[in-house]
Amino acid sequence: MERRGGLGLAALGALGRRLLWALPAYAAGLLGLGAGAVVLALALYAGWRRRRRARERGMRAAERLHREEEAAVRAAARGELPAWVSFPDVERAEWLNKVLAQAWPFLGRYLEKLLQDSVAPAIRASSAHLQSFTFTRVDLGQKPLRVLGVQAHPGTHKKQILLDLNISYVGDVQIDVEVKKFFCKAGVKGMQLHGVLRIILEPLLGDAPIVGALSLFFIRRPTLDINWTGMTNLLDIPGLSSMSDSMIMDSIASYLVLPNRLLVPLLPDLPEAARLRWPLPRGVVRVSLVAARALRSKDRFLGGLVQGRSDPYALLRVGTQAATSRVIGDSLDPVWDEMYEFMVHEVPGQELEVELFDKDPDKDDLLGRMKLDLGEVLRARVMDEWFPLQEGGQGRLHLRLEWLSLLSDASKLDQVLEKNQKIVAKPDPPSSAILVVYLDRAEGLPVRKAGKEPNPVVQVSVQDVTRESKVVCNTSAPVWEDAFRFFLHDPRNQDVDFQVKDDPRQSPLGSLSLPLSRLLESPSLSLAEPFPLQRSGPGALLHLQLELRVLFPEPPEPGAATPGQAEPPKGDTEGPPRRPSRAGPDPRSGTERVLRVQLLEAADLVAKDQRLGGLVRGRSDPYAETRAGGSRFRSRVVREELNPRWNESYEVIVDDVPGQDVEFDLFDKDIDKDDFLGRCKVPLRRVLSSRVVDEWLPLQDVRSGRLHVRLESLEPRPSPELLDRVLHTNALLQPQHGPELSAALLRVYLDRAADLPLLKGSQPPSAFASLAVGDASFRTKSCPPCTEPVWDEGFSFLIRRPHLETLELQVRAEAGPALGSLTLPLARLLPRPGLGTDGWEPLAGGGRILLRAQLGVLVPLEVEEGAARRGPEGGDPERPQEEEEEEEEPRGEEDEQRGAGGLRQRLVPADRRPQPTQGPRVLLSLRFQREQRRLVAIVHSCRDLRAASKDLPDPYVSLVLLPERSRATKRKTGVQKRTLNPEFNERFEWELPPEEAPRRRLEATVKSSVNFVTREKETLGKLQLELAQVDLSEGDPRWYELQDERSLP
């Protein structure tokens, strides 16, 4: 029966749509127009519709070309593209090269001024022998630096942008120097520099200058070639040339090759400057150099007549870290079985470079080299593979690589130490932890020689490994700002020692010894404090920060395929490897909260507007700017007011990271430059700990003014039973200005994809995923070409209506077509346990994706307080079973009506509504918000209306806040067509002082829309409510009986 009824309604709807085509003819006849007017109107409409569709097609095509350039070009070509057509990941930057070419002469002038005015005096002051040092010529030449390509990468978090610049400099630079005292001339004439410079823009801010700092460094050592002149021509001798270039490259590496980097702060007193300059490593890679096979023979005897073997050894390098293996004499199949460990700072980007050499008395011969992106090791966790050697002609190298994650707690240290005892490694035993020492400064160092300040230098030692800081000249309060990193075998029994000495005499200025067991007992395995120096002056302090991280080898998934496996055993026919059935843990997920900022009002602001040349003081046109969690919000302008009321709300996703503030800046809007009215801030940690902060904040940097704000921390909860109450409360709290309040937070964790389709030519794609919910969208990183990319990334979305919103996910090839898509209505998550899903989902177009999507309901304090007042027995009244069944049936129909009519607020569920009475009635929610000084009314629905004629009415509800009947006190809902049980779900509000609310009455009149024939409005029912007799604190929905208009006074 239900199915037949649905088919009947569908047929009636189709018939109604067709009857609409007869409406123009009916209107023409009603207005007395002829058939020609009807034909002309239809022709105009057809032409307009055709042009509109053509414009929409053009816009869709342009959007597709912008979003899917390669796919659009291939579709337009309708065949094979020429070989010279490509879609590279690296973009050309000719515009940047033109800028550099034009600015190059001016950069030369700046460099000449810098060398003459700053560098030369510093060199002359450094030694008495160099007092006649001078730059005789500084010329950058006519060939500027070129940027061959730019590639952008997604950062490791949302506040970071990565740019890789492939730079090349083949210049005619000429710099000459002279020391007249010794008749010494030297210089450089021509230089080549090639490498990849990475620029990190971090942190991204919600205020000018948008980027807090720039970090610049070379991921790998660049190549350098210098042409010397004058006395430095000696450095061009074959033996000395490579040595000099290597020394200069070591100097460059000490500043600009990872882990070293150049930090350029764009904001003064940037709090993250130290962390950005010396960030913790991303992890540690353990490299086992096992063996090599079929190497080329380089040794020759008897003038080359007799071919011998080779004496191979290996040089391993990650950034500036290098290790050299032992030499295996007279072998083309050497076996080393050695293990080395390297700290990894940038993934993707950093590579493991291994070069094999034949040891000779004069110059060692190259046997081959290989490179491996350490991002592959991070994804696979363990790799065991024979790698082919390049540039050697033949041979393979057997490596086993293992990724070690950094843990900030010592709970697994014993497990790591126990495992390390079973590993037989040489030349050194495996490490269980790393130590990072941030050497900041010292104060109060003793002066050993009267009248002469020391030149302090610090030596940091852990067992037999010693690092030395730079020398700071002529001060007893040196500032080093340096970092040192150490591998630790057993931090329970090791110490870190500091020796402060006076350079160059190396006389001691103080010492310090710290047992690392103290770090194990500290929270997060870190210490940051000034430490008193021993055997030093009174009050001598050394300011340090020490970070210890446990190295934990996370094993790969059981049975998961690693990118390489050394000679797998034959006969392995068990089929494809098993894949995980659930998404792995995301260390970043589950920590976000939502901060709701309510900007209420201000008082006693400073009057900035001046009139009559300043003789008459006016008022101000204030507005507020709010900054929180990297986002920035701006309120509306309130004209001519020193006590403005905004009543606006903002929401932002935040993390519990120390040092964050919620900042407010007030300005007076002017035509030219806005005047400053004051600022204030609230520590974010205070809001997160106390949940709600509601107070008047005094404005700073001005003589008067206060700001009233309410800040609330909302923690997502998997509580579906509270969702409907939250939606109803948000409807009451919804401000008149600003977006709709969020009811939930959606956390999405993307683990990996599998079985993705191959690109044309059977090439695996370089895949990334894009996610969108409404206007919010994110994108993952791009993985190396493979059919099973691993992303391991999490994202969060603010959800306003979980029943209606949808998660759109698309997997795409980099600069290529879409590989698959997924549409996940959030309504699917609501009936599931924990409001989430975790597992494999099929992709439309091919492949599968492993993800976890979970909703967390944002429960405001009002909902909790209301639930506490109701108590376990304060639920909704019991209702007859027949009414429950009757209410449940039209649920889908109500949703359809609300979607078609422009839903304002979600209707309170039927099982939560109060017991309705019989006869005509209206369901209202009323609440007075004292802080915002407003009365809120929600008109939900009407039931059992009585029509004055045989035709069904077109009802709407008119609200008037008595006693005044004016435009400011009248509100009206939309019209619902031909029904006796309309659904409105519309919200209205009136600004009202608290003392005025009890003296007001609310009049609600249900009327039918204008009758087409009689041109009259029919009154279907009416009621008047004395607000003093209504509980306005809860805002719960309640049924009110409608009375005949004639029975009311």
Side-chain angles (χ1 to χ4, degrees), residues 728 732 924-928 935-938 990 1002 1025 1027 1030-1038 1040:
H728 178 66
L732 295 169
L924 300 176
S925 294
L926 300 175
R927 176 169 177 166
F928 184 75
L935 173 67
V936 178
I938 299 179
W990 296 264
L1002 181 66
L1025 296 175
L1027 297 185
V1030 179
D1031 184 6
L1032 299 177
S1033 61
E1034 292 292 336
D1036 290 337
R1038 182 177 176 183
Y1040 297 93

Side-chain angles (χ1 to χ4, degrees), residues 68-116:
E68 305 174 8
E69 181 182 4
E70 182 177 358
V73 171
R74 293 186 183 278
R78 297 181 180 179
E80 293 294 333
L81 292 175
W84 48 267
V85 178
S86 63
F87 300 91
D89 295 335
V90 179
E91 299 179 4
R92 299 185 63 185
E94 288 304 318
W95 64 271
L96 184 56
N97 291 324
K98 292 178 181 179
V99 172
L100 287 174
Q102 188 167 352
W104 196 251
F106 301 94
L107 291 176
R109 297 178 192 175
Y110 170 75
L111 179 62
E112 180 179 7
K113 184 177 180 181
L114 178 67
L115 294 178
Q116 296 287 5

Side-chain angles (χ1 to χ4, degrees), residues 417-484:
L417 290 172
E418 182 179 356
K419 181 180 178 180
N420 286 352
Q421 290 178 357
K422 302 176 183 178
I423 300 177
V424 179
K426 52 184 179 181
D428 297 313
S431 302
S432 62
I434 65 169
L435 173 67
V436 181
V437 179
Y438 299 96
L439 177 63
D440 186 9
R441 58 192 174 89
E443 58 180 284
L445 295 181
V447 179
R448 299 302 186 189
K449 189 174 181 180
K452 186 174 182 180
E453 296 284 348
N455 302 321
V457 62
V458 178
Q459 295 176 349
V460 187
S461 303
V462 175
Q463 284 190 345
D464 55 347
V465 178
T466 300
R467 306 274 193 267
E468 187 170 285
S469 73
K470 63 184 179 182
V471 179
V472 182
C473 299
N474 302 323
T475 179
S476 59
V479 177
W480 291 285
E481 292 185 345
D482 210 343
F484 309 97

Side-chain angles (χ1 to χ4, degrees), residues 177 184-188 227-237:
V177 300
C184 175
K185 295 183 179 181
V188 174
N227 183 26
W228 302 99
T229 62
M231 290 190 65
T232 49
N233 269 327
L234 295 175
L235 298 178
D236 283 333
I237 297 176

